Amino acid sequence: MTSSNTRITMPESQQDDAATPAENPYQTTTENNEIHSGVGVLDKTVKILDALESGPATLGQLVAATGLARPTAHRLAIALERHRFVLRDQHGRFVLGSRFAELAAAAGEDRLLTAAGPILQTLLDRTGESAQIYRRQGDQRVCIAAVERASGLRDSIPVGAMLSMEAGSAAQILLAWEDSERLHQGLRHAKFTAAKLSAVRKRGWAESVNERDEGVCSISAPIRNASGQVIAAISISGPNGRMGVNPGRRYAPLVMAAGKYLTEALIKASAGR
C-alpha cells in the first residue's frame, strides 16, 4: 500500500504514450491553442515538425521552441530522421526532410507536381539538358521533380536530393525574393552576392557557372503561387562544355516560359477549388 503523499511516476518513454489530463479524447485545445489528440507521443512529434517549419534548428532550439524535455526532443527528432521526415543540414541542424514531398506526390494532391511532368519533358526536348524543380526546406533545397538526358554527359539529380542553398541558380531564385532578414541570413555563406540577387529580381532568371560544382552550369526561373509568392524554382543544368560560358543568353527565355506556364497552372487550379 502506498501513502497518500507518495507520487508514482512512469518512465519518460511511457509518459510519451500516455494521455495526460489535458490530452484526453474530449479536449482538443489548450489555453495556448495547442491541439491535443489524446496520443501524447504524436502531439510531441507534431511540435517538433511545427518548430522546423520555420527553418533549421539545433536540439537546444527545438527544446526551447517546443517546451519538451531534451531527451524527448532528441529521441523524437532522431526517430523522424530515420523515417526521412527530418534531415540534418551541413551544420548538423535538424530540417524538414524530403519524405513530405514524396508523400504529396504519392497522394496526387500536389498541383505543382501534377503539372510539372510535361513541362520538364518539354524543357528537356527543347534544350537537350536535364530539368528539375526545387523547393526550399530550411537551409537546403529539395529536388521534387526531374527528367534527365538519356545519354551523354548530364547533371544527374534524383528526386528527393537535398542540395545547398549556398550555391546554384535554383538557390538564387529561392532566396532572391525572401524578406530582408532571411535574405541577409542566406547570403552569409553563399557563393553569390546581394548584387547578383538584385539582378535576378530585375531580369526574372538566375544563372550559375561552376558555382555548385566545377564544370556544371544551370539556369533557373521562379514558380509562383496565386499570391505571387515564389514557391519553387524550375531549372535546367548540364556541362559547361555543351551549354557554354553564358548559358543564360541562350536558355533563359525557355526556362522563364516554363516557370510562367506552371505559375499560371497553379493560379487556375487555385481558382477552381
Side-chain angles (χ1 to χ4, degrees):
M1 172 180 288
T2 58
S3 69
S4 59
N5 294 325
T6 301
R7 183 180 180 183
I8 301 175
T9 60
M10 293 181 292
E12 187 177 18
S13 60
Q14 294 180 26
Q15 290 176 22
D16 285 343
D17 297 320
T20 67
E23 296 173 326
N24 65 67
Y26 304 101
Q27 182 174 339
T28 58
T29 60
T30 68
E31 293 179 358
N32 296 324
N33 292 321
E34 293 180 353
I35 297 175
H36 289 280
S37 66
V39 182
V41 67
L42 177 60
D43 295 335
K44 291 178 174 67
T45 301
V46 172
K47 282 186 176 184
I48 296 287
L49 298 176
D50 285 345
L52 293 177
E53 187 177 1
S54 60
T58 63
L59 178 59
Q61 289 169 331
L62 282 180
V63 170
T66 62
L68 298 175
R70 190 179 184 89
T72 299
H74 182 258
R75 184 174 63 255
L76 292 176
I78 295 300
L80 286 167
E81 184 179 17
R82 289 175 181 169
H83 288 284
R84 293 186 296 112
F85 286 104
V86 167
L87 299 174
R88 306 284 189 103
D89 66 10
Q90 62 268 37
H91 304 295
R93 296 172 298 182
F94 295 101
V95 298
L96 292 178
S98 60
R99 184 63 177 145
F100 289 103
E102 295 169 5
L103 289 175
E109 297 176 353
D110 193 316
R111 294 183 175 89
L112 175 55
L113 291 181
T114 299
I119 298 304
L120 290 176
Q121 188 60 50
T122 298
L123 265 184
L124 171 61
D125 294 341
R126 297 187 68 179
T127 66
E129 303 299 342
S130 301
Q132 311 88 23
I133 293 178
Y134 297 94
R135 278 186 176 144
R136 182 171 184 175
Q137 289 190 3
D139 280 358
Q140 294 183 294
R141 52 188 167 103
V142 59
C143 178
I144 64 169
V147 294
E148 294 184 3
R149 287 173 55 99
S151 60
L153 289 175
R154 57 187 181 272
D155 186 27
S156 181
I157 302 177
V159 172
M162 302 292 289
L163 279 70
S164 170
M165 278 291 294
E166 297 176 357
S169 62
Q172 295 174 35
I173 291 292
L174 294 172
L175 186 60
W177 283 272
E178 289 280 17
D179 61 64
S180 58
E181 182 178 352
R182 295 193 75 182
L183 186 65
H184 177 72
Q185 291 177 349
L187 285 169
R188 287 178 180 174
H189 304 288
K191 295 183 179 180
F192 43 81
T193 64
K196 189 166 189 176
L197 293 188
S198 178
V200 168
R201 288 191 294 272
K202 289 179 181 178
R203 67 192 182 196
W205 56 271
E207 172 187 82
S208 72
V209 179
N210 300 323
E211 191 175 277
R212 176 171 58 84
D213 288 310
E214 188 68 28
V216 174
C217 57
S218 66
I219 305 296
S220 298
I223 300 171
R224 302 175 184 269
N225 60 17
S227 301
Q229 179 184 15
V230 175
I231 60 169
I234 186 166
S235 308
I236 60 169
S237 59
N240 295 352
R242 192 167 57 234
M243 294 183 69
V245 293
N246 294 303
R249 295 180 181 178
R250 179 179 178 183
Y251 298 108
L254 293 172
V255 181
M256 290 177 68
K260 182 179 179 181
Y261 181 93
L262 288 173
T263 295
E264 292 173 349
L266 291 176
I267 293 173
K268 290 178 181 178
S270 178
R273 283 188 294 181

